[in-house]
Amino acid sequence: MVKFAVVVFPGTNCDFETERAIRKAGGEAERVWYKTSLKDFDGVVLPGGFSYADYLRAGAIAARQEIMEEVKEFAREGRPVLGICNGFQVLTESELLPGALRPNRVPRFICRWVHLRVVDTETPFTQFYEPGEVIRMPIAHAEGNYYTDDPSKVRVVFQYSDEKGNITEEANPNGSIMNIAAVANERGNVLGTMPHPERASDRFLGSEDGLRLFRSMVEWARR
């Protein structure tokens, strides 16, 4: 059985839901305090929340904690590393993913469901999606405006879209360049997503589209 560490920083608040989603997807998961070793795990998830109260910048302080050196080693070894919302911010601050998450175009917290078009199905996290498929997940962030100097060099995984998959300005909730909602590293084993798959992992929550991301991650790690 593959086992994932769900890293908890001061201010993390999506760890229980993430742990549950991984277990529902067929893997083992354990919430791990950020001062704990990751040596017994097959993959790492940095869940959402407000680590260190988003002091300085969202994810900036968490990115400089000692545990992130182990997370970087996981990435170098090709093991799966997933960052959700605040976890995505930590990954960009750690330079494990390119670009940065800036304050939303309209400077306020956004919490609502969005449609996403699946762009890349060749990552450990997206093998159970179809190219161009439209899925639904919720967002909940104040700094989700993704920016990079050279989007042509970014491995885009999800884009904000309308319900038909059209990439439009109206479908962009936060001002992200090219409507980017999720990106991966060049190798594909590190994924950052602003939408929350753990909050779309049960039909009673309104969608199970996010559960396929966790199932893909678990199956990939198992192989």
Side-chain angles (χ1 to χ4, degrees), residues 17-29 198 200-205 207-208 211 214-215 218:
E17 303 100 303
T18 303
E19 179 186 36
R20 180 182 182 276
I22 295 170
R23 292 183 183 277
K24 186 175 181 180
E28 284 296 321
E198 81 283 3
S201 60
D202 193 298
R203 63 186 179 90
F204 294 109
L205 298 174
S207 172
E208 290 186 298
L211 185 60
F214 292 108
R215 284 178 173 160
V218 169

Side-chain angles (χ1 to χ4, degrees), residues 178-189:
M178 290 176 54
N179 285 44
I180 292 173
V183 303
N185 64 343
E186 184 176 352
R187 194 172 181 180
N189 67 301

Side-chain angles (χ1 to χ4, degrees), residues 107-124:
R108 61 183 175 83
F109 185 81
I110 302 172
C111 182
R112 65 181 177 87
W113 285 84
V114 296
H115 289 95
L116 305 165
R117 186 171 74 181
V118 179
V119 179
D120 189 341
T121 59
E122 301 297 322
T123 78

Side-chain angles (χ1 to χ4, degrees), residues 7 9-15 17-18 46-54 58-59 83-90 109 140-143 194 196 198-199:
V7 179
F9 295 103
T12 296
N13 64 14
C14 297
D15 43 319
E17 303 100 303
T18 303
L46 306 178
F50 302 91
S51 60
Y52 297 92
D54 285 348
I84 304 169
C85 197
N86 188 232
F88 187 2
Q89 295 160 343
V90 174
F109 185 81
H141 56 251
E143 297 180 41
M194 287 311 295
H196 286 260
E198 81 283 3
R199 298 183 187 180

Side-chain angles (χ1 to χ4, degrees), residues 21-162:
I22 295 170
R23 292 183 183 277
K24 186 175 181 180
E28 284 296 321
E30 181 179 332
R31 295 166 54 253
V32 174
W33 186 237
Y34 76 105
K35 294 187 177 182
T36 307
S37 171
L38 301 176
K39 65 181 180 65
D40 296 326
F41 296 93
D42 302 295
V44 178
V45 181
L46 306 178
F50 302 91
S51 60
Y52 297 92
D54 285 348
Y55 188 64
L56 299 180
R57 291 183 309 277
I61 296 178
R64 287 154 179 81
Q65 300 307 308
E66 186 175 347
I67 195 170
M68 290 306 299
E69 294 304 315
E70 287 192 79
V71 175
K72 290 177 181 178
E73 184 62 27
F74 269 62
R76 285 191 292 268
E77 292 174 354
R79 289 188 276 180
V81 176
L82 171 63
I84 304 169
C85 197
N86 188 232
F88 187 2
Q89 295 160 343
V90 174
L91 291 177
T92 57
E93 288 284 344
S94 304
E95 298 184 349
L96 280 167
L97 288 175
L101 281 308
R102 306 185 300 183
N104 297 339
R105 175 177 49 200
V106 177
R108 61 183 175 83
F109 185 81
I110 302 172
C111 182
R112 65 181 177 87
W113 285 84
V114 296
H115 289 95
L116 305 165
R117 186 171 74 181
V118 179
V119 179
D120 189 341
T121 59
E122 301 297 322
T123 78
F125 309 91
T126 54
Q127 60 181 334
F128 294 151
Y129 297 107
E130 295 295 328
E133 180 182 359
V134 179
I135 60 176
R136 290 178 69 246
M137 293 186 201
I139 55 171
H141 56 251
E143 297 180 41
N145 182 354
Y146 182 79
Y147 180 79
T148 177
D149 289 332
D150 191 352
S152 67
K153 294 183 178 179
V154 174
R155 187 168 181 177
V156 180
V157 178
F158 298 143
Q159 287 178 289
Y160 299 110
S161 74
D162 65 18

